[in-house]
Amino acid sequence: MLFYDCSTAPNPRRARMFIAEKGLEIESREISIAERQQLSADFLVINPHGTIPVLTTDDGATLTENLAIARYLELLHPDPPLMGSSAREEAEVLMWNAIVEAQGGHPIAEALRNSHPAFENRAIPGPDNHAQVPELAERGFRRVARFFDLLDARLSDSPYLAGHFFSLADISAFVFVDFARVIKMRIPAEHSATQRWFDTISQRPSAAL
């Protein structure tokens, strides 16, 4: 297998943490978003969508989405389970992972890509250029604040997002919360449950990747 990574971007980090939590060693290749290597002719042959992460499998498949990569590796290497050990647990992991992506990852990207000069004409990932829309950045900041509230409400009732166990959903949320620093948003001081959860995950070796 070959893993196409970018050390500075949140979505590849999610896959990187998942791979590490599985105890796997997969050959990787760095693709620099800053240098727009994901839009090079060579990389677009691998992934025409021009996004990272990508996992090419031993049997020649190309997986371009975090959920697909995680599910593939989970089926090949079920221990430790990161997507639940029962039908209900897996459903809850997938539910919370989807919530985190929609309510956290997307708004952070919306705020960053529509406000930062580095993303001028690159407001949406992929091979096509899109102009920044300042109103979308403003909306993104508001949505990220709401995301922090959502997390704290859940984590006040549960040690991890999908229940009593660490999962893919926690990896996604942890990476997005950490990455929110790029838009100068951090865990609010009053959100003690989220801070406890974040500090706990920060101690895992995969969090250093």
Side-chain angles (χ1 to χ4, degrees), residues 30-91:
E30 179 77 5
I31 303 296
S32 172
I33 290 178
E35 298 177 11
R36 300 196 175 185
Q37 291 178 351
Q38 81 279 15
L39 302 177
S40 69
D42 288 344
F43 186 75
L44 289 176
V45 171
I46 298 164
N47 179 13
H49 304 296
T51 58
I52 314 166
V54 174
L55 180 71
T56 58
T57 68
D58 290 334
D59 59 0
T62 300
L63 306 177
T64 65
E65 301 295 330
N66 264 292
L67 185 57
I69 293 170
R71 184 60 176 147
Y72 179 78
L73 295 177
E74 181 89 347
L75 289 171
L76 286 183
H77 306 278
D79 293 315
L82 295 174
M83 298 182 74
S85 300
S86 67
R88 176 176 173 177
E89 286 182 357
E90 181 171 349

Side-chain angles (χ1 to χ4, degrees), residues 128-198:
D128 299 321
N129 291 330
H130 294 274
Q132 292 176 321
V133 180
E135 292 81 4
L136 292 181
E138 294 171 9
R139 185 180 72 179
F141 286 113
R142 293 194 299 271
R143 293 180 65 202
V144 174
R146 176 69 183 90
F147 172 61
F148 279 121
D149 291 341
L150 181 157
L151 278 184
D152 204 62
R154 171 59 177 169
L155 294 169
S156 294
D157 294 332
S158 177
Y160 296 103
L161 285 175
H164 65 279
F165 58 96
F166 175 79
S167 75
L168 170 67
D170 296 292
I171 292 174
S172 295
F174 174 82
V175 169
F176 291 144
V177 168
D178 193 34
F179 191 68
R181 68 185 184 280
V182 300
I183 59 169
K184 297 180 172 57
M185 295 190 72
R186 308 306 294 150
I187 299 170
E190 65 273 19
H191 287 190
S192 58
T194 303
Q195 191 64 60
R196 173 213 34 94
W197 164 88
F198 187 86

